[in-house]
Amino acid sequence: MDPNIHRQAEEQVTAAGKCVAGAPGCSLNVPTEPYHPAYFMINGRSMPDDMDPNYATQYPHQPYNGDPHMHPGEITLLRIIGQGRWQHPFHEHGNHVRILARDGNLLLTPNQTLAGPLLFTTTTTPGLAMDGLFYWTAKGLNWDAYGHNPASSDPLAKLTCSPDTNGYNTSDPTAINYFEWCQDHNKPLEAHPFGDVAGAGPATLPDANLFTNGAWYGGSPYLGPNATTRAVGPTGTTPPSGTIANSPGGEAGFAFMWHSHNEREITTNNIFPGGMLMMMLVDSREFVIDETN
Ligand SMILES: [Cu+2]
């Protein structure tokens, strides 16, 4: 949205003696070039407004937010529609998107099997729609995202992982680590971790007692409230201590940014961050996702 264009339209309909917008014979004369947009939206809202709830009363005409939730292994349907005048290189962090359909038509081979590409960036085109599938597991990280620790006395730190034919832990759909990638089960991340997570891994992370957590950091690199709480240092009063969006008590999921890769478009009126930017949240299975809206 270019505010100059909208301001000209507003000035013409509110000027004294001018015709009333919508009245017979009334027309506006607003040049739509040059076009210098300063507001960029997803589902009709800019970040951070797109993180407010669905059906928030302040957005009666933009009911849907931009924070999809999923559990590991679940499949999310994306419906991406370019509604503006420009293309937008929309990028989904966390995994690629398998394109199913374009403009509502399945992309099929002559043998009627799915033929859609696996896309790193789902570039939107004005008026064009894409449907795609997205899922996330910890496969490929090469460390145990749940922070399992076989040396722990906590039963939740010692869950088992029995691989199905695809390598995932799927025998018990009620398991907290349902759909864990078993090849990385018990693989430590950190060389010298705080708390009750496995050590002797490859990474040395910043001392959690010495740096400030942002609103989206749950206080540990691990998935789930149990792992996050176990990863606390001995002082106990420092992070994780309950962050705004991603607290161990509430959610403790992984937040992946989904956003325009044209970084001009992740600003609002020239301020970063904003605009065409949202978060996809992978929630640990303790967190019940409300799908009623
Ligand atoms: Cu990115």
Side-chain angles (χ1 to χ4, degrees):
M1 179 186 289
D2 179 344
N4 289 324
I5 294 172
H6 285 254
R7 187 165 55 242
Q8 289 181 66
E10 183 184 28
E11 285 170 356
Q12 291 185 27
V13 297
T14 57
K18 288 288 165 71
C19 61
V20 177
C26 176
S27 64
L28 304 180
N29 182 11
V30 179
T32 53
E33 295 286 351
Y35 178 60
H36 295 296
Y39 294 89
F40 305 92
M41 286 156 281
I42 299 170
N43 293 350
R45 305 186 200 170
S46 293
M47 182 270 178
D49 295 347
D50 61 2
M51 296 173 178
D52 287 340
N54 288 343
Y55 296 105
T57 53
Q58 60 269 41
Y59 316 110
H61 303 294
Q62 294 97 12
Y64 294 111
N65 71 16
D67 285 339
H69 290 251
M70 69 190 81
H71 295 124
E74 291 178 343
I75 298 174
T76 293
L77 172 69
L78 289 84
R79 179 155 292 163
I80 304 156
I81 306 175
Q83 292 188 296
R85 296 168 56 171
W86 287 354
Q87 287 194 304
H88 304 288
F90 193 68
H91 173 56
E92 295 84 357
H93 278 243
N95 205 346
H96 297 342
V97 176
R98 173 65 68 184
I99 299 300
L100 281 182
R102 189 171 61 198
D103 292 335
N105 300 304
L106 286 173
L107 298 177
L108 298 171
T109 67
N111 298 327
Q112 304 294 300
T113 57
L114 291 174
L118 194 60
L119 295 185
F120 175 83
T121 297
T122 52
T123 298
T124 73
T125 296
L128 187 141
M130 283 180 283
D131 285 357
L133 298 181
F134 180 97
Y135 70 97
W136 184 91
T137 69
K139 180 181 179 178
L141 289 181
N142 201 29
W143 52 278
D144 185 330
Y146 301 82
H148 292 132
N149 181 9
S152 174
S153 56
D154 182 340
L156 281 175
K158 299 166 65 159
L159 296 177
T160 56
C161 195
S162 36
D164 62 17
T165 52
N166 294 316
Y168 294 109
N169 182 49
T170 58
S171 55
D172 177 7
T174 67
I176 298 295
N177 61 336
Y178 181 65
F179 246 96
E180 181 181 358
W181 173 243
C182 291
Q183 195 173 300
D184 292 342
H185 184 56
N186 288 336
K187 263 192 202 171
L189 166 67
E190 298 178 81
H192 304 289
F194 288 100
D196 183 13
V197 293
T204 300
L205 300 180
D207 184 338
N209 297 326
L210 299 180
F211 75 115
T212 303
N213 288 343
W216 288 91
Y217 188 55
S220 93
Y222 305 104
L223 182 65
N226 175 267
T228 293
T229 306
R230 280 191 286 107
V232 178
T235 60
T237 56
T238 46
S241 56
T243 52
I244 298 166
N246 218 8
S247 70
E251 187 179 9
F254 284 171
F256 290 100
M257 188 191 294
W258 286 8
H259 66 118
S260 174
H261 260 179
N262 176 348
E263 300 202 335
R264 176 73 180 87
E265 300 180 349
I266 54 174
T267 62
T268 295
N269 206 15
N270 298 313
I271 306 292
F272 172 86
M276 203 174 283
L277 189 165
M278 56 188 259
M279 292 288 177
M280 184 279 290
L281 292 141
V282 175
D283 295 311
S284 183
R285 300 195 77 86
E286 299 97 319
F287 183 79
V288 178
I289 298 172
D290 179 3
E291 296 190 68
T292 57
N293 67 357

